[in-house]
Amino acid sequence: MDKYINFFNDYISKYDLKIEALDRKKNHTMRVMDNCKLIAKSIHLSDKNVLLACLIGLFHDIGRFKQYEVYGKFRDYETIDHANLSVDILKEFGFLDGYEYKDIVYVAIKNHNKLKVEDDLTDKEILFCKIIRDADKLDILNLVIKGTNPDAKEKIKLGNFNSRYSKLAVSDIIEGKVLDVGKYPDLCDKSLVKLGLFNDINFNYTKNKIKEDRLIDKIKESYIKSNPIEEKTIIKICDILKERLGR
């Protein structure tokens, strides 16, 4: 594993890590890698497969650094799909050349940011897609609680919207959908996208961490503070999400 961490660190060292946005992406990567390891161990995968999960976590956002250098922001819907870019970079630099499961790494990274996992994958590919999706969401949701927008250029606090959510965004969450940020032009609706992440949780480890850390309640409190006129809607959505996750 050390060899691959060195590959990662050597690659990102050519970017200006004094930029807060890039430093946060590096730290996010390490936490997601740890989450992948914990999820993989929770379902009793072999050491070889735990390593595979860790590699996916380590490289899942490697394209973010080039994305920021070129576009100055992380919003995929305004720039480029960072997951696809991450796969392109891994192939270009040959970081995984000779690794027997490199194709699974590519598939899982490609699918980690999509609304749903693509069709026609093998059971093993689907498993590792689900691991990285859960691991990534756990860290993103914790960042939301801390008042950080994971995809912003700078660390920011949630705004005071004091405006109504659209019926479309609310109904999509209630129906169990993961929200496509590009579908909702209003900034207020975009804030609900993070809540929609709770609709795609796959493992008991993740569900238990969400409950133990009171993630839904903490986000609910933060969102009510940011948009008090939608308190009833926020409470309704969060109650539904908690029921789906088994409270």
Side-chain angles (χ1 to χ4, degrees):
M1 190 67 205
D2 289 345
K3 174 179 74 172
Y4 297 107
I5 293 175
N6 288 337
F7 284 159
F8 175 81
N9 286 330
D10 286 346
Y11 173 79
I12 67 172
S13 67
K14 69 179 184 178
Y15 298 97
D16 186 359
L17 299 179
K18 294 190 294 295
I19 297 173
E20 183 182 8
L22 297 184
D23 183 60
R24 284 191 286 112
K25 283 301 177 186
K26 176 185 177 181
N27 294 332
H28 166 73
T29 292
M30 296 300 134
R31 292 191 299 267
V32 171
M33 181 177 68
D34 288 342
N35 288 343
C36 284
K37 181 178 182 179
L38 292 168
I39 293 170
K41 284 182 172 293
S42 78
I43 56 175
H44 309 295
L45 294 187
S46 67
D47 290 344
K48 184 180 290 189
N49 283 325
V50 171
L51 172 62
L52 171 56
C54 290
L55 288 177
I56 294 166
L58 175 65
F59 291 124
H60 82 286
D61 266 1
I62 198 167
R64 286 296 201 186
F65 299 88
K66 184 173 183 179
Q67 180 187 33
Y68 190 89
E69 180 183 60
V70 174
Y71 299 100
K73 54 188 172 183
F74 293 128
R75 298 187 186 95
D76 285 17
Y77 62 94
E78 293 179 354
T79 59
I80 191 171
D81 187 309
H82 78 277
N84 294 345
L85 181 59
S86 295
V87 173
D88 290 343
I89 289 169
L90 289 176
K91 292 179 178 179
E92 177 186 353
F93 285 86
F95 292 151
L96 296 173
D97 285 356
Y99 178 59
E100 61 181 318
Y101 297 133
K102 67 178 180 180
D103 289 335
I104 296 177
V105 176
Y106 298 153
V107 168
I109 290 176
K110 176 185 174 184
N111 280 275
H112 88 269
N113 68 330
K114 306 302 188 287
L115 291 181
K116 69 181 189 68
V117 174
E118 65 185 301
D119 297 326
D120 301 322
L121 299 183
T122 66
D123 288 346
K124 186 165 186 173
E125 288 170 336
I126 292 170
L127 173 64
F128 285 93
C129 287
K130 289 180 176 179
I131 289 173
I132 183 59
R133 288 166 73 89
D134 270 30
D136 197 29
K137 289 182 181 71
L138 265 182
D139 194 59
I140 290 170
L141 291 167
N142 272 292
L143 289 174
V144 172
I145 288 168
K146 294 174 182 177
T148 304
N149 179 345
D151 295 327
K153 293 171 63 174
E154 300 173 349
K155 186 174 181 180
I156 62 172
K157 295 294 181 181
L158 286 170
N160 293 313
F161 300 112
N162 203 34
S163 59
R164 296 291 181 186
Y165 301 126
S166 72
K167 291 181 180 179
L168 176 62
V170 173
S171 65
D172 280 351
I173 289 184
I174 290 174
E175 290 172 14
K177 296 179 181 178
V178 177
L179 305 191
D180 180 356
V181 67
K183 182 178 177 181
Y184 312 99
D186 188 88
L187 181 61
C188 184
D189 283 348
K190 289 185 189 300
S191 70
L192 288 180
V193 170
K194 303 308 179 189
L195 278 178
L197 297 179
F198 289 109
N199 282 328
D200 182 39
I201 301 299
N202 299 285
F203 298 99
N204 285 334
Y205 173 86
T206 318
K207 293 177 183 178
N208 290 335
K209 282 295 292 179
I210 288 170
K211 287 182 276 190
E212 288 171 11
D213 296 342
R214 296 184 59 249
L215 295 189
I216 295 178
D217 284 335
K218 289 176 180 177
I219 292 178
K220 176 178 69 177
E221 292 164 5
S222 176
Y223 275 41
I224 289 173
K225 184 177 180 180
S226 297
N227 198 8
I229 68 171
E230 283 284 27
E231 179 176 359
K232 290 183 179 179
T233 301
I234 294 166
I235 291 172
K236 177 181 178 180
I237 289 172
C238 289
D239 283 347
I240 290 171
L241 294 174
K242 288 170 75 172
E243 286 295 333
R244 286 199 183 119
L245 294 175
R247 291 226 170 239

